[in-house]
Amino acid sequence: MKKHNFSAGPCILPQSVMQKASEAIVNFNNLNLSLIEISHRSKDFVEVMENARNLSLELLGLQGKGYKALFLHGGASMEFLMVAFNLLEKKSAYLNTGTWSDKAINEAKLLGNIVEVASSKDHNFNYIPKNYTIPSDVDYFHCTSNNTIFGTQINDFQKTAVVKVCDMSSDIFSRQMDFSQFDLIYAGAQKNMGPAGTTLVIIKEDILGKVSRTIPSMLDYQVHIEKDSMYNTPAVFPVYVSMLTLEWLKNLGGISEIEKINNKKAELLYSEIDKNPLFKGFVSQKEDRSKMNATFNLTDSSLENQFNTLWTEAGINGLKGHRSVGGFRASMYNALPLESVQVLVDVMKELERTA
Ligand SMILES: *Cc1c(COP(=O)(O)O)cnc(C)c1O
């Protein structure tokens, strides 16, 4: 039986997507060829790329609004650098809400001055800073919508007149919002969209071309836009699987429908964390809790082995917390069914009964 997969990334994908993807490895589109042995310039693959790019914009409600979607290499970590290469002339502002923002800041520092508008490092990133000021004289403002490791999520994005960039690696396509408030969104595929190996980048075209430096071709968004995301060989399989997941999401009713399910899953788990005296949430303020990655601890660490045995026997995978936080982390990405969260909650109740 398929395990209840709470892995933080790479992570669970819809079972129907896995099935179709595995068939395409053997025989793609009835070509009697594998998806991974045909030219990326063939009509069949160009269609996949176009579909994946269009679906991304469509699901985010960004079609016809001056945005381009790209599927690039190098993970979200490469975007930390590319964003700076393409947008940072002198100074930019970053909100530091965790390891990933921290890394983004360090890359950008290679190319200019960085103002950290606020940071929650003082409390091991267990909250989202609020009431900070974004300076008006910066080239852009960068934030991370969901902090995969610490389990916090931004609910109120501050309004600003400067270019707004967001790392949405771990919650893109999971909740509704006005995506047009952002000028650049990026997300590594392996958290909520596909296998590792490709990164979705959504850019408002008019923010480009404003820096004076020479940008290496592979790091230049304009080069990738001009070549329809085919400047070099794209990650054909990850792009194909991402396309299938986006189709799956569209057929389900899009982001508004998946958000309802995601809210139910988060509500179910957090209410057990709050109710059950054996558990304590890691995030200090409830309003900052991530609906994608729930981080929690045992109140009595001597129960760890017992809890680990119970959830492992229940067919649960990937519950161990990140090494910088400890405890447990339940990642509830789009493809994780509500039933899996129920199984986890039942295990938590079982521990309370038997401990
Ligand atoms: C996982 C993750 C990254 C890093 O992604 P890579 O694709 O491994 O480079 C960056 N930002 C966030 C928010 C993440 O969750």
Side-chain angles (χ1 to χ4, degrees), residues 74-77 80 100 144 146 148 167 169-170 188 190-191:
S77 301
F80 299 161
W100 300 119
T144 312
N146 182 70
T148 328
D167 175 0
S169 290
S170 52
Q190 72 274 16
K191 306 279 169 46

XYZ file of all heavy atoms in Angstrom, residues 74-77 80 100 144 146 148 167 169-170 188 190-191, ligand 1:
123
model
N 18.619 24.584 -11.993
C 19.405 25.112 -10.866
C 18.637 25.261 -9.570
O 19.207 25.722 -8.583
N 17.365 24.912 -9.573
C 16.589 24.970 -8.329
C 16.288 26.401 -7.914
O 16.726 27.369 -8.547
N 15.553 26.517 -6.827
C 15.256 27.844 -6.287
C 16.556 28.529 -5.876
O 16.676 29.750 -5.946
C 14.304 27.728 -5.098
N 17.543 27.732 -5.482
C 18.826 28.299 -5.048
C 19.494 29.103 -6.164
O 20.183 30.089 -5.895
C 19.762 27.188 -4.585
O 19.173 26.484 -3.518
N 18.105 32.623 -6.279
C 18.662 33.574 -5.298
C 19.668 34.486 -6.013
O 19.722 35.691 -5.789
C 19.395 32.848 -4.153
C 18.539 31.911 -3.337
C 19.128 30.919 -2.556
C 17.153 32.022 -3.338
C 18.353 30.064 -1.787
C 16.369 31.164 -2.567
C 16.973 30.181 -1.798
N 16.010 29.832 3.999
C 16.008 30.111 2.558
C 16.171 31.590 2.276
O 16.888 31.983 1.351
C 14.755 29.544 1.886
C 14.665 28.059 2.069
C 13.682 27.371 2.699
C 15.614 27.063 1.625
N 13.962 26.028 2.688
C 15.119 25.809 2.042
C 16.825 27.114 0.933
C 15.800 24.612 1.781
C 17.506 25.931 0.673
C 16.988 24.700 1.097
N 9.957 35.455 1.342
C 9.723 34.022 1.172
C 8.325 33.744 1.717
O 8.079 33.944 2.915
C 10.766 33.209 1.970
O 12.069 33.731 1.682
C 10.712 31.737 1.627
N 6.521 31.036 2.252
C 6.324 29.937 3.196
C 7.678 29.365 3.603
O 8.502 29.053 2.743
C 5.470 28.838 2.548
C 5.191 27.680 3.489
O 4.440 27.818 4.449
N 5.816 26.533 3.230
N 9.504 26.581 4.728
C 9.437 25.135 4.692
C 10.034 24.469 5.923
O 9.525 23.473 6.415
C 10.232 24.679 3.443
O 10.110 25.677 2.437
C 9.727 23.365 2.921
N 9.894 34.184 -3.195
C 10.230 32.759 -3.281
C 9.012 31.992 -2.771
O 8.708 32.015 -1.582
C 11.469 32.472 -2.414
C 11.809 30.981 -2.340
O 11.096 30.167 -2.955
O 12.806 30.642 -1.666
N 8.554 28.652 -3.281
C 8.874 27.245 -3.541
C 7.936 26.267 -2.852
O 7.573 25.250 -3.424
C 10.304 26.951 -3.095
O 11.216 27.599 -3.950
N 7.562 26.566 -1.611
C 6.824 25.531 -0.883
C 5.346 25.844 -0.670
O 4.676 25.114 0.055
C 7.515 25.245 0.457
O 7.725 26.436 1.168
N 11.021 26.216 -6.818
C 11.567 24.924 -7.201
C 10.397 23.951 -7.320
O 9.473 23.989 -6.512
N 9.997 20.813 -6.758
C 9.877 19.586 -5.951
C 9.095 19.701 -4.649
O 9.025 18.760 -3.879
C 11.275 19.030 -5.664
C 12.107 19.823 -4.680
C 12.883 20.965 -5.322
O 12.606 21.367 -6.420
N 13.867 21.488 -4.615
N 8.489 20.880 -4.381
C 7.690 20.993 -3.173
C 6.194 20.842 -3.458
O 5.485 20.252 -2.682
C 7.953 22.332 -2.469
C 9.417 22.623 -2.172
C 9.905 21.935 -0.922
C 11.409 21.964 -0.726
N 12.082 23.239 -0.939
C 13.442 23.951 -0.837
C 13.432 25.410 -0.896
C 14.437 26.135 -1.571
C 15.619 25.464 -2.227
O 15.233 24.812 -3.362
P 16.282 24.080 -4.316
O 15.418 23.755 -5.478
O 16.771 22.882 -3.577
O 17.348 25.030 -4.647
C 14.334 27.512 -1.602
N 13.312 28.149 -1.009
C 12.339 27.490 -0.346
C 11.226 28.261 0.295
C 12.370 26.102 -0.273
O 11.401 25.442 0.384
